[in-house]
Amino acid sequence: MPDDTAKEIRRLRARTESAVPEFIGLRVEEAAELAQRLDLDLRVIRIHENGWYGSDQRHNRVTVEVEDGVVTGARAE
């Protein structure tokens, strides 16, 4: 991986990780609006439901866990 690409990935990852705490406690709709304002991709998974897990590496995506329509967990992916 070229050095510039690695630097950009680290920059995107750091920006995404710093935004994660802002998502906790938001309703799904609010989380989507925040992600849009921050120019981040958002993936929603619901707790206690079956889902699939991918291995696509995205450095500007926040994955939020939702229970009863409220974000209960978030992580940078």
Side-chain angles (χ1 to χ4, degrees):
M1 176 180 323
D3 195 42
D4 289 344
T5 302
K7 285 180 184 177
E8 179 64 11
I9 288 171
R10 285 192 300 272
R11 186 189 70 77
L12 286 171
R13 180 73 176 194
R15 185 172 67 87
T16 304
E17 288 175 352
S18 70
V20 165
E22 297 180 52
F23 287 87
I24 306 297
L26 298 179
R27 305 278 312 156
V28 175
E29 299 81 10
E30 295 168 326
E33 291 171 4
L34 177 60
Q36 185 175 16
R37 280 196 313 272
L38 297 176
D39 194 29
L40 297 172
D41 292 335
L42 182 71
R43 176 169 58 180
V44 177
I45 60 175
R46 301 194 189 280
I47 295 177
H48 305 298
E49 293 182 15
N50 292 333
W52 60 273
Y53 296 91
S55 61
D56 59 329
Q57 293 293 318
R58 304 285 298 270
H59 304 287
N60 67 331
R61 177 172 62 205
V62 173
T63 296
V64 295
E65 298 167 349
V66 176
E67 192 165 1
D68 296 325
V70 176
V71 176
T72 58
R75 63 184 179 270
E77 293 193 299

